[in-house]
Amino acid sequence: MGLISGFLVFMILGSPLFSKAEGATHNYLWVVKETNFTKLCNTSTVLTVNDSFPGPEIHANKGDTVFVTVQNDGPYGITIHWHGVRMLRNPWSDGPEYITQCPIKPGGNFTQEINLSTEEGTLWWHAHSDWSRATVHGAIKVFPANGTSYPYDEPDGDQTIVFASWYKSNVMDVLNESLQTGGDPNVSDAYTINGEPGDLYDCSNETMYSLLVETGKTYLLRIINSILNEEMFFAIANHNMTVVGSDGAYVKPFSTDYLFITPGQTMDVLLTANQTASYYYMVLTPFLDTDSSYDNTTSRALIKYSGNYTTPSTIPTPTFPNISDSISAQLFVVRLKSLADAAHPINVPQNITRQIFMTVSVNLFACPNSTGCTVDGDNKLAASLNNNSFLSPSTALLQEYYDNNYNLSHLVGELPNKPPTPFNYTTVANMSAYTEEGRLVITLNYGDEVEIVFQGTNIGATQNHPMHLHGYSFYLVGTGAGDFDNGTDPGRFNLVDPPEVNTIAVPRKGWSAIRFKADNPGVWFMHCHFERHTTWGMSTTVIVKNGATNATSMRPPPSYMPPCS
């Protein structure tokens, strides 16, 4: 049966067999293939979904179920992840390669089931294999459930704004070269706003993205940071934004003249067109308080008011925090707070049954037999959590877990609850930068109330780390500078209205504390959302055991999963 005809049969007959969803069911057919784009005076061949960059959007309501059939017509294996979707009891469609599935091989296809439950707002999807997400990504717009509304006035317009990295070179070549040398990968050549670099880059003036607005109207901007390796500041000249949501959950509204947004995060903001009709720049620039290499360029787009007026000779541009202004970055983070009202309740764990203190570091590996590595002699860059650099498996851990009666002891060990050797984490000057490689995981009992404190260290190239956990939203209950003090810092935790998010910025030489209840059984990836750090091993896998009933246990696998051999 051909793919298209088979997909139509699936649409008519197949969907009810997967899920007994309370909401509506949506079906999409996506084709992953190479497509040519000309940017920066250069034509590049990049991987896309349905020939688009950014990729197609998913539109659904809270509680709906979405089926996406991914046909891989590209040159190498691919997986797709639904970033921020909890996927309750259904890790089989979550997507990270060799964690929940093996890649979809060239010529193959896989139908994934996306179960929307508590999520409402903006999420996104992206490739989760190698660095393919550079150009394989797009928005998931989750509207309020039927019969409900936004907790703010209905906006006059709704527009997705996607930030991305653009490379003139093939991004897989960039990755492979860095793996061969052991060094930092080459940085991107540009940042893009909705696929366009903007007029500060060569050959990019005519294609710059613009958003048309009408005076007096308010627009919901759904902002997604899909950039590979940089956190960003974003601002709009002469306009404040009202932040109303983040990572698929509402927040207490607050007005700001800039956003700080990490790779993996989404922000929902309201923009009111309340200025003199004209042009205004939207500007995207990096935040980097580190010695690591980064793309130090700026992307611009335009706000254009409708109506008759003279195009300005000088277009207003916003002012920004300094590129290394960590105070402005943290001041933005601490303003995020959940609505925590009767219509949007929260449930912050109070009786912690599992505490984990986790160091987050950039490290070194010694290269065997002087094999061409170039970092500080014969070394290569690595990264770790609690001094373990995660060794990626060559088969899907989830399938192994299921096939071996929910046991992975033959493939993995247990990540310690604290660093093997305590030290002064943010001031140490003589701690070894070398780490150990292993396949160590975190195992949780169903119902555990979990607290994880991520601690940045002074080892290696210090910087912020955007940490992301699959299968869960969690509460960011605290964050601060320096070493976490277990005697005093918990007393300052926000347990009343902390933001419910899925990705957080662990500050450079600082800490962030999260809490969640382990109520979603499965095998879930946790990692830094800088691609280079995940590649170097700054990740682990969280295994949440089944509960005592079918309703608190993993679903069985679908009839077909992409083969691993």
Side-chain angles (χ1 to χ4, degrees), residues 64 145 173 236 251 477:
D64 288 356
D173 292 340
I236 302 173
V251 300
V477 297

Side-chain angles (χ1 to χ4, degrees), residues 380-397:
K380 62 180 179 179
L381 291 169
S384 67
L385 300 175
N386 275 355
N387 203 38
N388 179 76
S389 184
F390 189 74
L391 177 63
S392 180
S394 57
T395 189
L397 290 183

Side-chain angles (χ1 to χ4, degrees), residues 121 203 229 247 294 304 344 406 438 447 461 463 480:
C203 304
N229 289 307
D247 285 5
Y294 62 95
K304 291 183 178 181
H344 307 88
Y406 304 104
Q463 65 182 105

Side-chain angles (χ1 to χ4, degrees), residues 94 147 186 220 238 259 335 354 359 366 380 415 434 438 472 509:
D94 188 50
N186 290 334
L220 173 60
N238 296 12
L259 301 182
R335 296 184 74 185
R354 182 71 180 274
T359 53
K380 62 180 179 179
L415 190 71
Y434 291 93
Y472 285 86
K509 298 184 183 180

Side-chain angles (χ1 to χ4, degrees), residues 235-275:
I236 302 173
N238 296 12
H239 293 74
N240 275 9
M241 296 169 281
T242 301
V243 180
V244 294
S246 181
D247 285 5
Y250 296 116
V251 300
K252 287 183 170 68
F254 65 92
S255 178
T256 180
D257 58 0
Y258 71 94
L259 301 182
F260 168 66
I261 184 168
T262 76
Q265 286 184 326
T266 68
M267 297 283 170
D268 288 348
V269 306
L270 297 176
L271 171 72
T272 299
N274 56 9
Q275 298 298 304

Side-chain angles (χ1 to χ4, degrees), residues 165-245:
S165 304
W166 185 262
Y167 290 80
K168 292 181 181 178
S169 303
N170 184 301
V171 70
M172 299 301 289
D173 292 340
V174 173
L175 170 61
N176 290 334
E177 179 183 353
S178 70
L179 292 175
Q180 289 170 5
T181 65
D184 249 338
N186 290 334
V187 301
S188 56
D189 295 292
Y191 302 114
T192 61
I193 299 175
N194 281 358
E196 299 300 340
D199 61 352
L200 292 177
Y201 299 94
D202 292 340
C203 304
S204 301
N205 185 54
E206 298 300 320
T207 59
M208 180 168 52
Y209 173 74
S210 63
L211 174 63
L212 185 66
V213 300
E214 294 183 36
T215 299
K217 292 193 173 181
T218 297
Y219 299 84
L220 173 60
L221 305 185
R222 301 172 180 269
I223 298 173
I224 299 167
N225 186 356
S226 70
I227 289 168
L228 292 189
N229 289 307
E230 289 93 1
E231 297 167 313
M232 307 299 290
F233 288 122
F234 175 73
I236 302 173
N238 296 12
H239 293 74
N240 275 9
M241 296 169 281
T242 301
V243 180
V244 294

Side-chain angles (χ1 to χ4, degrees), residues 402-448:
Y402 181 81
D403 289 345
N404 287 275
N405 196 28
Y406 304 104
N407 190 305
L408 274 177
S409 60
H410 61 298
L411 287 177
V412 304
E414 194 71 15
L415 190 71
N417 285 339
K418 57 185 179 180
T421 304
F423 57 98
N424 294 324
Y425 302 106
T426 58
T427 59
V428 64
N430 58 355
M431 193 73 179
S432 171
Y434 291 93
T435 188
E436 298 179 359
E437 191 172 42
R439 197 171 294 128
L440 303 185
V441 305
I442 296 170
T443 304
L444 302 174
N445 292 317
Y446 185 91
D448 270 347

